[in-house]
């Protein structure tokens, strides 16, 4: 028997799904939807964004974000079952599943300023959907949000409900890491889907599972209640960041004692209970997620009246700040305690290799500290746009004298040009090309003594010492006789 219109409207969508809409064409929405389109050719995927510019970039030959493997997928699916549009109305109306992948930055004013996640864009999406939808929808929260955000989305949707339109909210956090996003999406460690324990919630979970199950085995698709799913995302990032802060804290001990943090990392990582990943000591972690999610977790714990827990996670952030500043201090101390009017080369500005993203990159802190001390900087990064570097270093968060900063920095597109007449190279990002460079040639182009500060532990320190460089790295006293100066815990050769 045919369902009446009312019955059909009261039904939440179930498999098979024919249309998906994603709100937010950023680092999360873009790659995630591209992979869904690739793996589900029978499903039409439309990504919408408020930014016309972003959408036209997605529709052009130069995509707005760099991610290995992404361009090939977009080229393959775009115009077939993958669409980028500013017409949110049409896409929302037609879709059975709507993903919310908008940014959730840390609040810059008001309650929870500097810590709580700003949910204004997420709330905006909920209001947008409520205003447009004329049939039942599954709404998937993909942006990283505080625990219980799904409840807020539901409240907005219910309060603006039209007759017969029902919603089910799912939490489906994204665990992709930039630079390996496509690989992570195609072959994830797990997919997490949180939903309500009601029959409707379970049906929505089953529907989203149907999508992922097109290429991900069932064993890897984990279903939980909504709050567990939301908290798991924050917890995963907090635990990963904590490992980096832990090894970075030990890097200071290594420099003071003569131990080598790479050896320590390897030794402890071989314990299968600890594991080897995320134990690479560095200048500090960056990226849009770790700091933001930690701050968010700290804020939530304070709100839940769990001050000890809040302080515990706050220390992970504090240690990261300490590491970035410690590295900058080391550079200044080694360069005879002054970098004033000295020109230094910064190799790498992105927060990690294989991405053009600079959000919370440690390079900003290092550059800021050096600029504050009067240094001039030649900056080279293979993927970050010149305008982005200038915007980052002249933002009000970094300086109150942007014109002065502009005069003190120069951005290069050729690394060999960037080193000419500089006193030191500072490696801030672990780009592979920095490992293979012609350091003999570079050495000749620099002022002597020529210094290299390896904030990522990627270059061959012994070879560079043989070339003539004074090499300083993180978590290791380079033990060679020669120019040893008394600069606290800093070693150099
Ligand atoms: C992270 C999480 O890994 C991912 O699951 C989540 O969805 C988003 O946040 P991302 O920020 O893209 O991903 O990069 P990640 O590879 O985690 O690196 C974060 C920062 O930590 C980078 O600055 C990186 O250089 C640094 N890092 C990483 C270290 O300093 N040492 C390590 O051992 C690993
Ligand atoms: P993420 O790393 O979380 O993907 P991004 O900043 O890269 O964050 O992308 C988020 C995208 O969401 C941006 O392109 C932004 O323009 C878009 N966006 C924010 N709010 C809305 C909204 N209400 N409707 C549509 N797009 C939005």
């Amino acid at each position: 028997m045919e369902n009446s219109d009312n019955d059909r409207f009261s039904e939440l969508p179930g498999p098979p799904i024919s249309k998906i809409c994603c709100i937010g064409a950023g680092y999360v929405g873009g790659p995630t939807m591209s992979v869904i389109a690739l793996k589900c050719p029978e499903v039409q995927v439309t990504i919408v964004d408020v930014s016309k510019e972003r959408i036209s970039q997605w529709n052009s030959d130069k995509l707005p974000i760099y991610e290995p493997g992404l361009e090939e997928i977009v080229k393959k699916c775009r115009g077939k079952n993958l669409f980028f549009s500013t017409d949110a109305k049409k896409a929302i109306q037609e879709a059975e599943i709507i993903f919310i992948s908008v940014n959730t930055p840390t609040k810059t004013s008001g309650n929870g300023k500097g810590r709580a996640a700003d949910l204004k864009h997420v709330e905006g999406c909920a209001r947008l959907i409520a205003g447009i939808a004329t049939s039942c929808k599954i709404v998937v929260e993909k942006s990283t949000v505080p625990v219980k955000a799904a409840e807020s989305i539901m409240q907005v949707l219910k309060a603006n409900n039209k007759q017969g339109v029902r919603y089910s909210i799912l939490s489906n956090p994204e665990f992709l890491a930039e630079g390996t996003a496509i690989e992570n999406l195609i072959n994830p460690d797990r997919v997490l889907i949180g939903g309500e324990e009601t029959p409707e919630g379970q049906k929505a979970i089953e529907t989203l599972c149907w999508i992922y199950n097109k290429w991900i085995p069932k064993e890897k698709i984990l279903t939980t209640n909504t709050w567990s799913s939301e908290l798991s995302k924050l917890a995963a990032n907090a635990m990963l960041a904590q490992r980096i802060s832990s090894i970075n804290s030990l890097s200071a001990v290594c420099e003071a004692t003569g131990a080598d943090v790479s050896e320590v990392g390897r030794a402890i990582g071989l314990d299968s209970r600890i594991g080897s990943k995320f134990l690479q000591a560095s200048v500090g972690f960056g990226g849009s997620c770790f700091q933001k999610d930690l701050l968010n977790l700290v804020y939530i714990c304070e709100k839940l009246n769990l001050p000890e827990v809040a302080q515990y996670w706050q220390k992970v952030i504090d240690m990261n700040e300490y590491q970035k500043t410690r590295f900058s201090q080391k550079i200044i101390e080694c360069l005879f305690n002054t970098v004033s009017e000295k020109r230094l080369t910064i190799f790498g500005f992105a927060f990690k290799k294989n991405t053009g993203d600079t959000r919370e990159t440690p390079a900003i802190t290092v550059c800021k500290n050096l600029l504050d001390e009067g240094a001039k900087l030649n900056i080279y990064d293979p993927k970050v746009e010149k305008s982005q570097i200038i915007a980052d270093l002249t933002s009000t968060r970094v300086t109150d004298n942007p014109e002065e900063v502009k005069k003190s920095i120069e951005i290069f597109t050729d690394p060999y040009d960037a080193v000419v007449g500089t006193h030191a190279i500072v490696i801030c990002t672990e780009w592979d090309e920095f490992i293979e460079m012609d350091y003999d040639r570079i050495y000749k182009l620099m002022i002597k003594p020529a210094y290299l500060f390896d904030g990522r532990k990627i270059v061959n320190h012994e070879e560079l010492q043989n070339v003539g460089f004074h090499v300083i790295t993180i978590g290791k006293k380079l033990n060679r006789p020669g120019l040893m100066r008394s600069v606290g815990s800093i070693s150099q050769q």
Side-chain angles (χ1 to χ4, degrees), residues 97 99 140 170 172 193 204-213:
I97 303 184
F99 286 85
V140 185
L170 297 178
N172 173 220
I193 303 177
I205 289 178
E206 191 195 313
T207 309
L208 191 55
C209 283
W210 178 84
I211 300 277
Y212 284 115
N213 202 216

Side-chain angles (χ1 to χ4, degrees), residues 255 329-330 333-334 472 477 485 487-492:
E255 287 162 33
Q329 267 322 108
K330 198 185 242 193
E333 286 171 2
C334 286
I472 296 92
K477 224 178 203 171
R485 296 184 308 108
V487 278
S489 65
I490 293 125
S491 64
Q492 62 178 42

Side-chain angles (χ1 to χ4, degrees), residues 458-471:
I458 52 163
V459 288
N460 186 324
H461 301 138
E462 200 162 316
E463 272 178 21
L464 288 175
Q465 287 176 323
N466 290 339
V467 170
F469 280 100
H470 294 278
V471 182

